[in-house]
Amino acid sequence: MHIDAFIQRFSAGLAVMEELPLPQSRRAYDKLCRTFAPPDPDGMRVENSVLDGVGVRRLIPQQRTPGCVLFIHGGGFTIGSVESHHGPAASLVQRLEREVVSVSYRLAPEVDYPAMLADCQAVLEAIQPIALVGDSAGGRLAIDLAHSLNTAPPLGLIYPPVGELSPACLGEDAALLSRNDVLGICQQLPAIIATQRDHSPPSTSIEVLTVEHDPLTRPIEAAVAHWQEAGASVGYRCALQMVHGTLHAHALLPSMQNAWQDFCQALRKRLAD
């Protein structure tokens, strides 16, 4: 698939969602994202359950290494679910050969950011994961979860919102995510702004994946530099020509596929050390 075809198809799906009430819009988003996901790995078992009052989806490989990974989905804190991000979570299972627990945290506007974080914290305490992985909004939650721990496990972050998130810090507008989109989310959920807490690394072991065309990439690169200067081991790669949201189509877009493979291999190596 060419990146322009992905943008056109995803944009069309988002346009349809704008005409729907929020519950239906969320279901439409789940369906849209799943259209880009590859088939599940052979032998993978899927179990939906509840841990400490929070819904989770456990994805369990046929042959697994001990220790599970907590995966936190994106979606701008208002949409997204274990269903919309089933594809990336299943790919993590395949590439890491470990169980992945995807958390179904509550969303805005029904709850605020601390409530979302509390849901993720409850699951973290229940499963004691060996790594935290999150994309976009989920990456923000993963960072703040890690900050709350005395010793954080390795982090895998895919284009998360970090730092001040001000007009001066953001990069240029891009397809599927504009500067105004980011600023609007910050206005709705000011607790995601991490001007101070992102100066210190959330973990000593971090892997980061960004995309070339995304207003969040500039602040992420600034944070990576701060974390490296503070002594953290941070691996970084940027998928050229890609835009925010292309994680869903990682199996169809060569540039994203290569960057995702490199990201997963680096994270797997950290877990093996």
Side-chain angles (χ1 to χ4, degrees):
M1 173 181 281
H2 191 274
I3 183 60
D4 290 342
F6 171 80
I7 292 171
Q8 182 178 16
R9 191 165 136 196
F10 208 87
S11 296
L14 295 178
V16 170
M17 289 168 51
E18 291 178 0
E19 305 301 320
L20 300 173
L22 186 55
Q24 290 94 318
S25 179
R26 286 172 174 165
R27 289 194 291 271
Y29 182 74
D30 290 348
K31 184 176 180 180
L32 172 65
C33 295
R34 282 299 297 261
T35 64
F36 297 99
D40 283 352
D42 290 341
M44 186 185 77
R45 192 167 79 253
V46 178
E47 298 177 358
N48 294 318
S49 60
V50 176
L51 292 175
D52 200 13
V54 181
V56 298
R57 175 169 292 182
R58 306 188 83 124
L59 299 93
I60 305 165
Q62 191 170 33
Q63 309 237 336
R64 56 174 158 163
T65 306
C68 65
V69 174
L70 178 60
F71 178 73
I72 310 174
H73 70 78
F77 307 97
T78 60
I79 57 175
S81 69
V82 297
E83 188 66 25
S84 66
H85 285 66
H86 181 91
S91 182
L92 276 176
V93 170
Q94 184 176 40
R95 295 183 182 279
L96 301 182
E97 295 185 334
R98 296 179 189 268
E99 177 182 349
V100 170
V101 179
S102 183
V103 56
S104 183
Y105 60 91
R106 290 169 291 170
L107 301 171
E110 291 89 337
V111 302
D112 59 11
Y113 182 71
M116 302 177 201
L117 191 61
D119 287 350
C120 297
Q121 181 78 41
V123 175
L124 181 145
E125 292 174 358
I127 66 173
Q128 296 294 307
I130 60 168
L132 309 178
V133 179
D135 80 293
S136 194
R140 177 72 260 161
L141 286 158
I143 291 169
D144 287 330
L145 275 184
H147 274 307
S148 72
L149 302 173
N150 290 329
T151 303
L155 296 186
L157 306 173
I158 305 102
Y159 41 60
V162 298
E164 185 179 341
L165 298 174
S166 68
C169 296
L170 294 172
E172 296 179 357
D173 284 338
L176 304 186
L177 187 69
S178 70
R179 291 160 55 90
N180 283 339
D181 291 334
V182 177
L183 297 173
I185 293 170
C186 292
Q187 186 174 15
Q188 182 180 9
L189 298 166
I192 71 168
I193 300 171
T195 307
Q196 295 302 319
R197 61 188 187 272
D198 280 347
H199 279 302
S200 60
S203 171
T204 59
S205 178
I206 306 170
E207 291 296 333
V208 178
L209 168 58
T210 65
V211 289
E212 182 178 8
H213 302 296
D214 184 344
L216 294 177
T217 297
R218 182 188 293 173
I220 294 168
E221 291 179 340
V224 166
H226 282 305
W227 296 342
Q228 289 173 332
E229 289 171 7
S233 172
V234 186
Y236 178 80
R237 74 278 305 145
C238 179
L240 299 180
Q241 301 182 331
M242 298 295 101
V243 299
H244 200 93
T246 46
L247 178 62
H248 294 294
H250 66 271
L252 303 174
L253 298 163
S255 180
M256 197 67 187
Q257 183 179 53
N258 292 337
W260 174 245
Q261 181 175 344
D262 180 51
F263 170 86
C264 291
Q265 286 178 341
L267 186 59
R268 178 171 177 162
K269 184 176 185 303
R270 287 184 185 273
L271 297 181
D273 289 343

